Amino acid sequence: MELFDHVFMQRALIEAVLIGGICAVIGVYVVLNGLSFIGAGISHSTFAGVALGLMVGIDPLWTALLFSTLVALSIGAVSERTNLKHDTSVGIFFAATMALGVMLIGLMDDYYVDVFSYLFGNILALTATDIWVSAIMAALVLGIVILLFKEFLALSFDAEVAAVMGLPVRKLHYLLLVLIAVTVVLSVKSVGVVLVSALIVTPAAAAFQLTVNFRRMMLLSVLFGIGSALSGLLISYYIDIPSGAGIVLIATVLFFLAWLLSPRRKRHAQP
Amino acid sequence: MNTDLSANTGGTDPKNAITFSNVTVHYDQLPALENISFSIPEGSFWGIIGPNGSGKSTLVKTALGLLTPSRGTVRTLGREPAALGSLRASIGYVPQYADLDFSFPLQVIDVVAMGLYGEIGLFHRVTRAHRKRAEEALRRVNMEEFADRQISALSGGQRQRVLIARALVIDPVLLILDEPTAALDPGSAEGLYGWINDLHDRNDMTLILVTHDVGVVSQYVDSIACLNRTLVAHGRPKDVLSGESLEQMYGCGAVLFGHGDVPHMVVKHGGDR
Ligand SMILES: Nc1ncnc2c1ncn2[C@@H]1O[C@H](COP(=O)(O)OP(=O)(O)O)[C@@H](O)[C@H]1O
Ligand SMILES: [Mg+2]
């Protein structure tokens, strides 16, 4: 296909596999730990980071990474140290970082195009450096998940017993939040601040509908994630829409199909 | 000092598996336990009873180091719970069933093998030998043919046995079960109590059972501790369940129901949550 003769298209393909895969892997832990809203909070917090980067003139990726990591750790710390529930502290950070981002954007004159692509993603406009950075970050996240496979599993299923066994559950929890932050940042150029948390949650949620086996859930989630990212990429190529929207809409369609076919749902529906 | 120590340790200088000294535990500002002092000797079988919200789970979580007392000291296997270190590999804990999500995509054998994660250590993988031990633990709870089942497909009683197998896989010297019969009907519950009692008889372990069923449990346990934020009464069942202690038992929510030689009691399911 001559479509793939374009360099930007080759890059987009590699990126789609990278982000579709890594978001889906992290998504499994996000879904099983009930961290979906935290994921949304972390991803929106990158907006302020992006705005700061555009304003100061450094690659927004790094300022976004700084912001999202700080917010991930803060959400963890605030819900640990106060009697606020997770969703309350997320709600506060969510709004505060968006407000900060909007304020910074308001201080600039002519960055609206850039801001738009960071909000909704543009997988067709990546540089070679973008791909390398994504690949390195994805490898890092995947490596940690593989190294700590059983620890994250125990944390997700039964954190209390994991703690009694002496696993460092607090550190693991914070590490998981940071991994979510890194995953968000590496995907943000392609999927956008607003939609990246959907690419994390939706494929894993679809996989959860279809299996009761952890490894199979991981595998299905990755298939759905990469499938959504590739199809979304083609959609945004043929009809000129932001890639994040195409990717997330495909993922959502997959989710509903999975939900319709779900043995879990059928079992649930029976009295 | 407890006077009933010699009852179950054969008279030799007894050591304590757990000692609470003036322990108070708060959630935020509210005390869930106040000024608790008693000891659980090594090798004994204790029942912890009290109505819902009386602090039973809080007590065992404090002993396990999951919660830190705001006052007083706890010694578990001779150490501060936060400093248990390698002794953690000798402690089995079966948390309250309701706290777990059984829609989680896991097989029975994986859940049981999780009991070994602490021992296996960070970064290392579960090996064939570990799986063998998990299978062995499943045999001990008569669930060996369920190894490859999904936990979501099990009945309440089977799930409970899987959690017990996960706690047994390390051959604990201290085993703590938090309301293991909550998901069971009364008949199965009685069966499980008998089975737990056999487990204690066959193994050299300290067993702590948190429960509502005073009547049934008092047949098996060496001692009971009756909680209602404070320690209402503790000691041998026949002492606690007679005379003035019996009146105190009302304070921890117990009511007599039925009759016979042994007072048959049940703890009211309080709605104070
Ligand atoms: N995580 C928590 N945060 C705040 N209060 C709690 C928490 N866990 C328990 N409590 C409160 O502490 C008291 C004792 O709870 P618990 O130890 O679970 O009682 P039991 O196990 O006897 O039912 C109850 O009033 C309960 O509402
Ligand atoms: Mg309880």
Side-chain angles (χ1 to χ4, degrees):
Chain A
M1 281 199 284
E2 67 189 63
L3 166 62
F4 300 117
D5 291 344
H6 303 297
V7 173
F8 73 86
M9 205 60 192
Q10 291 163 1
R11 284 186 192 143
L13 275 174
I14 297 172
E15 182 76 358
V17 172
L18 279 175
I19 61 166
I22 203 69
C23 283
V25 167
I26 285 299
V28 167
Y29 296 102
V30 169
V31 165
L32 291 177
N33 282 285
L35 298 176
S36 301
F37 191 53
I38 290 186
I42 293 174
S43 63
H44 281 75
S45 72
T46 56
F47 182 58
V50 166
L52 187 68
L54 291 175
M55 194 168 154
V56 183
I58 49 178
D59 189 336
L61 197 74
W62 304 116
T63 39
L65 185 63
L66 183 76
F67 258 80
S68 65
T69 307
L70 281 179
V71 165
L73 295 174
S74 309
I75 288 173
V78 167
S79 34
E80 189 178 43
R81 298 230 168 73
T82 69
N83 54 4
L84 293 178
K85 294 224 161 53
H86 254 344
D87 64 341
T88 311
S89 65
V90 174
I92 292 167
F93 280 106
F94 204 122
T97 51
M98 280 309 266
L100 184 61
V102 170
M103 190 191 82
L104 291 175
I105 298 292
L107 294 175
M108 297 184 282
D109 316 312
D110 51 351
Y111 283 99
Y112 289 108
V113 179
D114 275 344
V115 169
F116 189 80
S117 78
Y118 274 102
L119 276 176
F120 303 108
N122 189 354
I123 200 170
L124 299 175
L126 300 174
T127 65
T129 315
D130 290 336
I131 305 293
W132 276 112
V133 171
S134 284
I136 290 168
M137 283 184 178
L140 206 72
V141 172
L142 190 64
I144 292 175
V145 167
I146 290 172
L147 265 182
L148 293 171
F149 181 81
K150 71 178 199 309
E151 282 73 20
F152 280 130
L153 190 63
L155 175 80
S156 309
F157 177 61
D158 191 345
E160 209 163 63
V161 164
V164 169
M165 290 189 300
L167 298 187
V169 290
R170 243 186 101 234
K171 288 184 190 140
L172 286 168
H173 179 69
Y174 277 99
L175 181 59
L176 184 58
L177 292 177
V178 171
L179 292 182
I180 295 171
V182 175
T183 303
V184 161
V185 169
L186 77 90
S187 319
V188 88
K189 263 193 180 169
S190 308
V191 196
V193 167
V194 177
L195 297 171
V196 59
S197 62
L199 183 58
I200 291 179
V201 170
T202 312
F208 181 76
Q209 295 299 319
L210 295 180
T211 180
V212 284
N213 178 301
F214 184 80
R215 281 159 213 269
R216 218 169 292 154
M217 177 176 171
M218 193 60 102
L219 197 75
L220 277 175
S221 180
V222 167
L223 283 178
F224 292 156
I226 293 177
S228 310
L230 288 176
S231 335
L233 153 64
L234 292 179
I235 290 178
S236 68
Y237 178 77
Y238 284 113
I239 51 174
D240 185 24
I241 58 164
S243 48
I247 291 171
V248 169
L249 285 176
I250 296 285
T252 310
V253 170
L254 284 175
F255 172 78
F256 275 109
L257 287 177
W259 181 75
L260 284 174
L261 297 170
S262 170
R264 276 183 192 275
R265 185 180 56 89
K266 285 174 193 145
R267 199 179 311 133
H268 212 78
Q270 277 160 15
Chain B
M1 273 303 288
N2 263 318
T3 49
D4 56 11
L5 290 188
S6 54
N8 44 54
T9 50
T12 52
D13 184 29
K15 279 172 56 185
N16 289 322
I18 305 180
T19 302
F20 298 96
S21 316
N22 307 310
V23 170
T24 296
V25 183
H26 284 84
Y27 290 107
D28 303 324
Q29 313 300 334
L30 290 173
L33 288 174
E34 274 182 295
N35 209 25
I36 307 287
S37 297
F38 73 104
S39 298
I40 297 179
E42 274 185 4
S44 60
F45 183 2
W46 273 63
I48 312 282
I49 60 171
N52 276 342
S54 59
K56 304 182 296 295
S57 297
T58 304
L59 184 82
V60 299
K61 285 179 189 176
T62 307
L64 291 165
L66 294 169
L67 296 169
T68 314
S70 41
R71 268 197 304 281
T73 55
V74 183
R75 287 287 175 278
T76 301
L77 302 179
R79 296 209 197 146
E80 249 181 81
L84 274 165
S86 59
L87 285 179
R88 293 195 172 278
S90 338
I91 300 175
Y93 172 46
V94 180
Q96 233 170 308
Y97 175 85
D99 296 345
L100 287 182
D101 173 14
F102 281 90
S103 70
F104 203 97
L106 277 175
Q107 282 169 302
V108 166
I109 189 77
D110 297 325
V111 172
V112 178
M114 261 185 203
L116 292 165
Y117 282 9
E119 185 189 309
I120 295 170
L122 281 182
F123 308 123
H124 294 278
R125 302 201 149 258
V126 178
T127 64
R128 196 180 294 269
H130 295 125
R131 291 191 157 254
K132 274 252 149 29
R133 281 169 68 190
E135 282 166 18
E136 186 55 43
L138 275 175
R139 239 188 307 285
R140 289 170 76 182
V141 298
N142 299 320
M143 288 281 293
E144 61 268 36
E145 69 269 37
F146 293 89
D148 297 327
R149 288 279 187 90
Q150 302 300 325
I151 54 168
S152 56
L154 301 179
S155 72
Q158 291 168 338
R159 290 172 181 181
Q160 199 58 253
R161 278 166 188 259
V162 170
L163 296 186
I164 293 174
R166 178 182 63 174
L168 286 179
V169 69
I170 50 167
D171 280 312
V173 300
L174 171 62
L175 178 60
I176 300 179
L177 305 148
D178 196 347
E179 303 207 35
T181 58
L184 308 187
D185 59 82
S188 324
E190 199 144 348
L192 186 67
Y193 286 138
W195 182 85
I196 289 170
N197 188 47
D198 291 344
L199 183 75
H200 180 247
D201 287 346
R202 285 195 311 270
N203 297 275
D204 194 16
M205 61 164 72
T206 310
L207 213 160
I208 297 170
L209 177 64
V210 174
T211 181
H212 278 114
D213 305 318
V214 191
V216 186
V217 157
S218 58
Q219 302 168 29
Y220 300 123
V221 298
D222 303 317
S223 301
I224 53 181
C226 185
L227 287 180
N228 197 354
R229 206 179 72 241
T230 58
L231 182 63
V232 176
H234 71 293
R236 283 182 298 188
K238 72 166 194 250
D239 296 337
V240 173
L241 298 177
S242 66
E244 61 220 64
S245 290
L246 194 58
E247 267 165 51
Q248 296 179 315
M249 291 292 281
Y250 289 98
C252 95
V255 286
L256 270 155
F257 85 98
H259 41 268
D261 294 342
V262 183
H264 224 62
M265 305 182 84
V266 68
V267 173
K268 263 192 292 193
H269 291 238
D272 52 340
R273 275 183 58 92

